[in-house]
């Protein structure tokens, strides 16, 4: 089965994806992670994407679809798409590559998005996610898992977070109706604890 995690920035897509990969063995494909890696490498794609990401805008659809096509084909199965598709054009493009069987929509209001993302910290080395309010590291600034240094994403400041939410509302939220009409969308309350969100999604997956 191929699964899509849909929801506003900070809804917990990355956090949930890590648990789903561990428990169900999905292959995780996060377009945000791929783009951040390209920015770090200073590749042509990274240089193109950097400005969009810093402003909290979407990278053009053709660029994103090209990236996905490089990594999956019509025989791919067991993929977990995190942060993709983000527009109707991307969803239609994905349909031309492989079928989507289930979409989990993580619902979270804007104020909670701002609260969570302002407090997010990420490990530079292994990418583990922390939150200064809800999931702080044992030693401030250090990853519990690998001892790496924690940093704040450049797009996790309030002005850019609010812009990302606005962009989400205008360009990505229409995907809720799009997938609902196909009968494959399941809503999950993302304001619950990470364990409870995972439990509810696991229940859906186990049918
Ligand atoms: P991307 O990296 O995809 O960012 P995003 O969608 O804004 O999502 P986030 O990574 O910010 O949040 P998340 O939902 O994964 O939450 P997380 O689990 O980290 O995209 C970045 C940029 O790249 C975009 O702005 C765009 O420019 C570009 N881009 C990427 N994909 C694109 C595409 N398809 N098309 C065009 N452009 C694209 O959790 C957040 C925080 O909350 C953490 O601190 C975590 O510890 C905490 N937390 C998680 N779950 C819970 C919980 N249940 N309770 C309490 N705290 C929680």
């Amino acid at each position: 089965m191929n699964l899509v995690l849909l929801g506003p920035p900070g809804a917990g897509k990355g956090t949930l994806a890590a648990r789903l990969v561990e428990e169900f063995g999905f292959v995780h494909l996060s377009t945000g992670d791929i783009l951040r890696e390209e920015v770090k490498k200073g590749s042509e794609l990274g240089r193109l994407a950097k400005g969009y990401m810093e402003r909290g805008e979407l990278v053009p659809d053709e660029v994103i679809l090209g990236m996905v096509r490089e990594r999956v084909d019509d025989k791919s199965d067991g993929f977990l798409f995190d942060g993709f598709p983000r527009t109707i054009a991307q969803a239609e493009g994905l349909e031309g590559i492989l079928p989507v069987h289930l979409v989990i929509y993580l619902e979270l209001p804007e104020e909670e998005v701002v609260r969570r993302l302002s407090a997010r910290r990420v490990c530079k080395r292994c990418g583990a996610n922390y939150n200064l309010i809800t999931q702080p590291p044992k030693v401030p600034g250090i990853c519990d898992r690998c001892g790496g240094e924690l940093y704040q994403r450049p797009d996790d400041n309030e002005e850019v977070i609010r812009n990302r939410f606005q962009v989400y509302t205008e360009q990505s939220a229409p995907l809720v109706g799009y997938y609902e009409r196909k009968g494959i969308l399941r809503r999950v309350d993302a304001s619950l604890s990470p364990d409870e969100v995972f439990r509810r999604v696991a229940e859906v997956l186990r049918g």
Side-chain angles (χ1 to χ4, degrees):
M1 125 166 350
N2 296 311
L3 176 67
V4 166
L5 297 185
L6 176 65
K13 301 181 293 293
T15 303
L16 174 63
R19 293 282 299 272
L20 293 174
V21 166
E22 224 174 84
E23 289 281 329
F24 294 92
F26 282 106
V27 181
H28 185 202
L29 194 151
S30 157
T31 42
D33 286 350
I34 297 169
L35 290 169
R36 274 184 291 281
E37 200 49 46
E38 294 296 326
V39 171
K40 205 160 109 186
K41 283 195 294 203
S43 68
E44 196 181 328
L45 170 57
R47 287 198 300 278
L48 184 148
K50 192 167 186 271
Y52 292 101
M53 296 173 82
E54 282 173 354
R55 292 188 296 275
E57 290 165 10
L58 296 186
V59 173
D61 290 334
E62 320 78 69
V63 175
I64 297 291
L65 283 167
M67 258 167 49
V68 172
R69 272 192 210 98
E70 272 175 24
R71 290 164 174 84
V72 300
D73 59 31
D74 59 350
K75 287 173 204 66
S76 302
D77 191 32
F79 268 81
L80 190 171
F81 295 102
D82 163 3
F84 170 84
R86 253 175 156 98
T87 62
I88 300 284
Q90 290 181 18
E92 288 171 349
L94 178 59
E95 264 161 41
I97 307 174
L98 53 69
V100 172
H101 302 97
L102 179 68
V103 177
I104 299 289
Y105 170 37
L106 297 173
E107 294 184 271
L108 197 69
E110 180 172 0
E111 286 319 308
E112 183 59 18
V113 164
V114 174
R115 198 177 79 92
R116 274 192 195 175
L117 290 184
S118 307
R120 171 167 59 186
R121 297 294 182 272
V122 183
C123 176
K124 262 187 186 164
R125 199 185 295 163
C126 74
N129 243 323
Y130 294 88
N131 191 284
L132 299 184
I133 305 164
T134 55
Q135 300 158 57
K138 291 191 184 101
V139 180
I142 304 291
C143 179
D144 295 349
R145 235 202 266 166
C146 75
E149 188 191 334
L150 303 187
Y151 80 108
Q152 184 168 25
R153 267 171 50 175
D155 57 348
D156 277 351
N157 67 73
E158 184 169 345
E159 194 190 335
V160 179
I161 295 168
R162 290 203 186 270
N163 191 39
R164 284 158 65 196
F165 192 86
Q166 175 82 16
V167 166
Y168 165 79
T169 306
E170 289 167 9
Q171 301 189 51
S172 306
L175 288 168
V176 174
Y178 178 87
Y179 283 123
E180 217 155 33
R181 284 189 290 279
K182 292 185 183 290
I184 56 171
L185 184 113
R186 299 295 295 266
R187 291 169 184 262
V188 174
D189 178 357
S191 69
L192 300 166
S193 70
D195 281 350
E196 185 57 22
V197 171
F198 172 73
R199 199 189 62 75
R200 292 187 181 200
V201 173
E203 218 171 72
V204 173
L205 285 170
R206 291 190 181 111

